[in-house]
Amino acid sequence: MKQLKHWQDPVNALLGVWVVLSPWALGFQDMTTAMANAVIIGVALIAASLGAMIVPRAWEEWTEGILGLWLVISPWALRFSEQRDAMRAAVISGIVILALALWTLMTDKDYNSWTHGAAH
């Protein structure tokens, strides 16, 4: 059995499950835009995280980071920032997802050669 390369990937997969379920857990399932955003981004995060666990590649970490960043800005971009539970769920989840993705990118020697000025 192949050993897991980054512990952050299963954590991000679990966060993806949380993001998908958050509309029902926090009671904003009737807000179509916020609910659809959570489900779509959550499913995409689960897929990227599972891909990163099966065949680790830097682009999957970048994808996870972009999804996290989108969650942070989505309440304002999609105009649901007034709904506090939906906004907080998106922003807090997005910050954690983005931080985990960046942590992986910065600490994996196979992914971070650009931070050390190495030429390929």
Side-chain angles (χ1 to χ4, degrees), residues 23 28-40 70 74-75 77-80 86:
F28 62 90
Q29 71 275 8
D30 294 332
M31 295 189 59
T32 306
T33 302
M35 186 270 296
N37 183 60
V39 171
I40 292 167
W70 170 253
S74 66
L78 298 177
R79 302 181 194 271
F80 65 87

Side-chain angles (χ1 to χ4, degrees), residues 6-74:
H6 307 111
W7 64 265
Q8 295 92 335
D9 293 321
V11 174
N12 266 341
L14 290 173
L15 285 166
V17 171
W18 159 250
V19 171
V20 168
L21 298 176
S22 65
W24 293 274
L26 299 175
F28 62 90
Q29 71 275 8
D30 294 332
M31 295 189 59
T32 306
T33 302
M35 186 270 296
N37 183 60
V39 171
I40 292 167
I41 299 303
V43 168
L45 180 62
I46 293 166
S49 299
L50 290 175
M53 286 187 267
I54 296 167
V55 182
R57 299 285 186 261
W59 70 265
E60 292 150 339
E61 303 302 334
W62 283 105
T63 301
E64 291 174 26
I66 291 166
L67 292 170
L69 180 61
W70 170 253
L71 281 173
V72 171
I73 64 172
S74 66

